[in-house]
């Protein structure tokens, strides 16, 4: 059974704590897109005023504070609707749920990520004012490269700024191309940070190896600085910041042939579903943590794509693959990483509330919320 919210809240025409959770219809594009509201920061405090998180997060300042960054972005892949994920997670009560775990919570405007000259659905475009949208033709195989680069650069600045305050950035996507920005932001504050990437896909194609050109399949290669990634517009701001030994994958099961070669050539540790089946999730997480953080003294960035979960668990996502993590396996990963006290950044990516039926959507949103809570100290007992 899916976990219940810690502090259930009523969601009407507005979402949690007054956050607009609706979508808006744009005539020009005939699609539902994420609302640009709110336009100010919303805060929540621990529900009883004195409660603190279960674990001491050793790289964060006190009192424990998180800032949620909602990024309504779908430019790294072709399926509309993943940009609605952040609003839906917030409207499900995530702010109060995390405050119920003892965190001070801040939720900031999404508008900065929408207001981009390469974005076909800009913040100002819902009004009839309309700003000029710049063309974003393919560069080589890469689709929407200027849009993805510009948004990820803003994300990196935002995540880095939150980390500098001693707070925990919790990023809600949006598609997983945003991982380029979130990890880059974390590394700007914690250069020795390790990355645990939980995903059905390796996301390590380069601009040379990608078959589709969709950049949600390429963020890891840019972070590593692999051959073919020194290209415009990314090379104007992306500096390779991730070493192969500082990265571990969990949950892989749909990996392109070129990606398999890149993993082998660079000696990157990866635990596919084969290893999960063979050893069990407990041993896999133990081995993963031993690999990247054997002494338990390094910061950890956890980037979790919900398509790592089996489609029976999280069906409303853009690239579901059968044979994934069970509900408990996915949550064990987040719980075990939380126990280390080393978390400095969390991503919950690829929730797409426009796909499938309402029950599937609600189920996937609930999973996204509970994964975030588990990473922030929620336990079964």
């Amino acid at each position: 059974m899916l976990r219940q919210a810690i502090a259930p809240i009523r969601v009407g025409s507005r979402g949690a704590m007054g956050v607009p959770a609706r979508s808006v219809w744009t005539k020009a594009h005939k699609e539902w897109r994420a609302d640009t509201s709110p336009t100010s920061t919303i805060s929540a405090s621990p529900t009883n005023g004195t409660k603190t998180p279960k674990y001491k997060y050793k790289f964060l300042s006190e009192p424990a504070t998180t800032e949620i960054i909602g990024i309504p972005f779908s430019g790294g892949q072709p399926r509309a609707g993943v940009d609605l994920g952040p609003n839906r997670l917030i409207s499900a009560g995530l702010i109060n749920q995390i405050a119920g775990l003892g965190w001070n919570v801040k939720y900031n405007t999404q508008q900065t990520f929408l207001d981009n000259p390469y974005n076909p659905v800009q913040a100002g475009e819902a009004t009839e004012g309309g700003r000029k949208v710049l063309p974003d033709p393919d560069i080589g195989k890469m689709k929407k490269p200027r849009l993805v680069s510009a948004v990820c650069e803003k994300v990196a600045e935002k995540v880095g700024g939150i980390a500098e305050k001693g707070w925990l950035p919790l990023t809600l996507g949006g598609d997983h191309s945003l991982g380029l920005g979130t990890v880059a932001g974390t590394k700007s504050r914690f250069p020795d940070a390790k990355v645990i990437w939980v995903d059905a896909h390796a996301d390590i194609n380069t601009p040379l190896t990608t078959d589709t050109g969709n950049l949600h399949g390429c963020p890891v290669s840019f972070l590593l600085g692999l051959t073919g990634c020194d290209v415009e517009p990314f090379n104007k701001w992306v500096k390779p910041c991730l070493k192969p030994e500082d990265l571990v994958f969990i949950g892989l099961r749909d990996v392109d042939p070129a990606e398999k070669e890149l993993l082998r050539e660079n000696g990157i540790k990866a635990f596919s579903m084969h290893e999960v089946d063979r050893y069990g999730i407990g041993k896999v997480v133990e081995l993963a943590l031993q690999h990247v953080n054997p002494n338990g003294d390094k910061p950890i960035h956890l980037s979790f794509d919900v398509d790592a979960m089996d489609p029976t668990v999280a069906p409303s996502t853009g690239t579901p693959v059968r044979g994934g993590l069970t509900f408990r396996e996915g949550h064990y990963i987040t719980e075990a990483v939380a126990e280390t006290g080393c978390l400095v950044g969390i991503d919950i990516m690829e929730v797409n509330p426009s796909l499938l039926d309402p029950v599937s959507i609600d189920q996937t949103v609930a999973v996204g919320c509970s994964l975030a809570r588990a990473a922030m100290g929620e336990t079964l007992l």
Side-chain angles (χ1 to χ4, degrees):
M1 180 177 292
L2 298 180
R3 301 181 185 192
Q4 298 301 310
I6 291 175
I9 56 177
R10 185 166 56 91
V11 178
S13 61
R14 297 178 72 82
M17 304 181 63
V19 180
R22 63 187 177 88
S23 305
V24 292
W25 179 260
T26 61
K27 289 182 179 179
H29 301 277
K30 297 182 180 179
E31 292 179 319
W32 289 100
R33 314 309 277 166
D35 195 351
T36 60
S37 299
T39 58
S40 60
T41 299
I42 296 171
S43 300
S45 300
T47 50
N48 64 6
T50 59
K51 186 174 182 179
T52 58
K54 182 178 180 68
Y55 304 112
K56 178 174 175 57
Y57 289 77
K58 60 188 74 172
F59 297 103
L60 305 180
S61 60
E62 295 183 352
T65 302
T66 182
E67 183 165 334
I68 301 175
I69 315 164
I71 310 177
F73 183 70
S74 61
Q77 51 81 61
R79 302 195 75 168
V82 70
D83 47 331
L84 305 177
N87 272 348
R88 192 60 182 265
L89 290 163
I90 292 297
S91 72
L94 185 58
I95 293 173
N96 279 355
Q97 293 168 26
I98 295 173
L101 297 172
W103 292 82
N104 288 296
V105 185
K106 300 182 184 299
Y107 176 60
N108 216 334
T109 175
Q110 303 177 20
Q111 184 163 345
T112 182
F113 304 111
L114 290 168
D115 191 9
N116 186 293
Y118 300 106
N119 191 352
V121 184
Q122 287 195 83
E125 210 177 73
T127 66
E128 294 299 324
R131 305 176 196 175
K132 183 177 181 181
V133 179
L134 299 179
D136 191 8
D138 295 354
I139 298 177
K141 297 179 182 178
M142 295 188 297
K143 296 178 180 177
K144 301 181 182 177
R146 298 162 191 83
L147 174 60
V148 173
S149 177
V151 171
C152 285
E153 184 176 12
K154 286 185 178 181
V155 172
E157 293 171 357
K158 182 67 174 176
V159 170
I162 294 170
E164 283 290 342
K165 298 176 183 178
W167 299 352
L168 179 69
L170 169 57
T171 305
L172 309 178
D175 72 62
H176 215 173
S177 66
L178 298 170
L180 170 57
T182 61
V183 174
T186 291
K187 293 291 257 182
S188 70
R189 170 64 179 86
F190 299 103
D192 59 345
K194 312 300 180 179
V195 176
I196 298 176
W197 196 277
V198 186
D199 205 319
H201 311 89
D203 295 348
I204 199 173
N205 268 308
T206 73
L208 299 176
T209 66
T210 176
D211 288 331
T212 65
N214 297 324
L215 288 169
H216 74 156
C218 302
V220 176
S221 65
F222 282 101
L223 292 164
L224 291 164
L226 299 184
T227 300
C229 293
D230 184 14
V231 293
E232 291 188 353
F234 295 94
N235 60 7
K236 294 180 179 178
W237 68 275
V238 177
K239 307 298 181 188
C241 59
L242 187 62
K243 299 176 182 177
E245 60 267 26
D246 294 338
L247 169 67
V248 63
F249 289 95
I250 300 176
L252 300 183
R253 60 191 183 279
D254 185 14
V255 183
D256 295 340
E259 292 182 298
K260 294 178 184 179
E261 287 296 321
L262 290 169
L263 292 172
R264 285 192 287 264
E265 289 171 2
N266 290 278
I268 296 170
K269 181 69 71 173
F271 295 95
S272 70
M273 288 306 300
H274 177 81
E275 282 75 39
V276 173
D277 291 339
R278 174 181 288 182
Y279 301 118
I281 194 63
K283 186 63 175 179
V284 163
V285 174
E286 178 186 344
L287 292 171
L289 289 171
Q290 284 178 354
H291 177 73
V292 294
N293 199 15
N295 298 319
D297 58 354
K298 301 297 183 184
I300 293 176
H301 183 109
L302 175 64
S303 196
F304 203 117
D305 187 323
V306 297
D307 73 20
M309 310 293 279
D310 191 79
T312 59
V313 178
S316 294
T317 188
T319 50
V321 185
R322 291 185 301 172
L325 298 169
T326 66
F327 182 86
R328 276 302 312 145
E329 288 169 342
H331 285 79
Y332 183 85
I333 296 169
T334 52
E335 291 164 355
V337 174
E339 286 178 1
T340 69
C342 293
L343 266 176
V344 294
I346 308 170
D347 309 333
I348 303 294
M349 301 293 187
E350 298 279 1
V351 173
N352 190 330
S354 72
L355 300 177
L356 304 181
D357 56 277
V359 172
S360 297
I361 293 167
D362 288 345
Q363 178 180 338
T364 308
V365 169
V367 167
C369 288
S370 59
L371 288 170
R373 296 197 307 269
M376 301 181 75
E378 184 183 60
T379 58
L380 295 175
L381 295 176

